[in-house]
Amino acid sequence: MDAVCPTPVFARKNVAFACATLCCLLWGSSYPAIKSGYEIFQIATDDIPSKIVFAGYRFLFAGLLLLLFAMAQRKPIARLKPRQCGQLAMLGLTQTTLQYTFFYIGLAFTTGVKGSIMNATGTFFSVLLAHFIYHNDKLSYNKAIGCVLGFAGVMIVNFNGGMSDFTFSLMGDGFVVLAAFILSASTLYGKRISQTVDPTVMTGYQLGFGGLVLIVIGYMTGGTLEVHGFASVAILGYLTLLSSVAFALWSILLKYNRVSMIAPFNFVVPVAGTALSAIFLSENILEWKYALALLLVCSGIWWVNKMPKGSE
């Protein structure tokens, strides 16, 4: 074990595997939950400002919950230097505000099934960006195979009918892929910040600040968000808990376990997103392209996380 664990329960393999799977299931469920939220809050497809307000409240509340969680763990949430405050603000603007602006808009113009697969490109963007930024994280044979398989899966899901009929929506699929790229780049920036700021505190501030900026932008551009009964509160509450619980659990798992043991569970996200979108949104997944795309994407993620023989 890399470090002495004050809460050994998270260091047990069965508990760690269960928690990692839960995190990825939660992230996968965000696709149908967001699209259901649009319907419950009666947000029209072309009402982009209201979608931004919706996203803003989700992340503002999630950030506040994470900071409360950090306080409960007796972590210092107010001992930040001016430079660190600036770094957290920049991280919030990129990782939350900018990324989720593109993600929420993109998901409104594509299906939950397609969006969950397209968003998986983030894993491969991270691998490629790390190759140019970190000297100890170069593109290996396994990673190259994984990237090729992953992008092949993303290409296949855009074929409609025959192999000669390629469909790609810039406002839908394009924005989801762009959001994945922004998330990958900002995550590498967040890795640098986490060297001096606790990961839970860092995530809480960046989610809260980024969410607040989304709310301001949404209202300033004419967005509204009206509560329509208990269902509205329930879906927003679920999305809030989804973000805060998943991020908190994931940070704990990475603290007490090797990254190489936890990272492969990311393959659950596109699978969960596809299956749950089919169940709750009645979207059709009984097509060869979805099955093949999922197989390629998940195989790609597995290859990226596959450790070479003889390594830890």
Side-chain angles (χ1 to χ4, degrees):
M1 207 27 101
D2 294 331
V4 177
C5 177
T7 53
V9 64
F10 287 105
R12 299 173 187 170
K13 281 190 175 181
N14 58 337
V15 175
F17 290 172
C19 290
T21 302
L22 174 61
C23 288
C24 294
L25 285 173
L26 287 172
W27 282 321
S29 71
S30 67
Y31 300 95
I34 291 170
K35 293 187 75 70
S36 297
Y38 291 158
E39 295 182 9
I40 294 172
F41 280 97
Q42 299 178 13
I43 301 175
T45 301
D46 59 351
D47 188 359
I48 295 175
S50 295
K51 289 183 172 68
I52 294 175
V53 173
F54 179 45
Y57 278 116
R58 170 194 173 186
F59 295 113
L60 173 62
F61 295 152
L64 293 175
L65 278 179
L66 273 180
L67 291 176
L68 288 174
F69 177 74
M71 289 178 63
Q73 291 186 306
R74 299 177 181 272
K75 294 180 179 179
I77 67 170
R79 299 176 186 174
L80 297 173
K81 300 176 181 178
R83 183 170 180 271
Q84 292 173 325
C85 291
Q87 290 175 327
L88 292 175
M90 178 60 70
L91 184 63
L93 287 173
T94 53
Q95 189 166 326
T96 297
T97 304
L98 190 60
Q99 187 241 144
Y100 279 101
T101 295
F102 285 110
F103 179 74
Y104 267 64
I105 296 173
L107 199 58
F109 291 93
T110 189
T111 65
V113 170
K114 202 173 180 182
S116 64
I117 296 174
M118 299 294 289
N119 198 50
T121 55
T123 300
F124 312 111
F125 284 136
S126 296
V127 172
L128 294 174
L129 289 173
H131 172 77
F132 295 103
I133 295 176
Y134 299 110
H135 296 293
N136 61 345
D137 202 0
K138 294 299 182 181
L139 190 63
S140 65
Y141 174 76
N142 289 347
K143 293 177 181 179
I145 292 179
C147 288
V148 171
L149 289 173
F151 280 114
V154 171
M155 292 294 289
I156 286 175
V157 82
N158 287 289
F159 284 101
N160 186 25
M163 291 299 290
S164 61
D165 188 5
F166 184 82
T167 61
F168 184 87
S169 167
L170 178 61
M171 285 285 287
D173 310 322
F175 274 26
V176 172
V177 172
L178 182 56
F181 175 79
I182 294 171
L183 176 61
S184 300
S186 59
T187 298
L188 295 180
Y189 180 59
K191 177 179 175 66
R192 176 184 174 186
I193 300 174
S194 66
Q195 303 303 311
T196 58
V197 180
D198 178 84
T200 303
V201 175
M202 177 191 73
T203 305
Y205 273 118
Q206 74 91 357
L207 283 175
F209 180 74
L212 181 61
V213 174
L214 283 172
I215 293 173
V216 172
I217 292 175
Y219 279 126
M220 287 182 63
T221 53
T224 59
L225 194 70
E226 297 181 6
V227 175
H228 298 279
F230 175 76
S232 300
V233 178
I235 195 68
L236 183 58
Y238 175 73
L239 285 168
T240 298
L241 287 172
L242 179 161
S243 298
S244 55
V245 171
F247 275 117
L249 267 179
W250 197 257
S251 63
I252 293 173
L253 290 173
L254 290 179
K255 180 176 182 178
Y256 297 127
N257 299 276
R258 296 191 307 274
V259 175
S260 60
M261 187 178 77
I262 301 300
F265 283 86
N266 280 302
F267 85 91
V268 176
V269 178
V271 176
T274 299
L276 293 173
S277 292
I279 294 171
F280 292 104
L281 301 178
S282 300
E283 294 181 357
N284 181 26
I285 61 171
L286 300 178
E287 294 185 33
W288 68 269
K289 65 177 183 179
Y290 289 136
L292 182 57
L294 274 175
L295 177 62
L296 288 171
V297 168
C298 294
S299 298
I301 294 174
W302 181 82
W303 272 99
V304 165
N305 289 285
K306 185 176 182 294
M307 298 298 293
K309 292 182 179 181
S311 61
E312 289 290 328

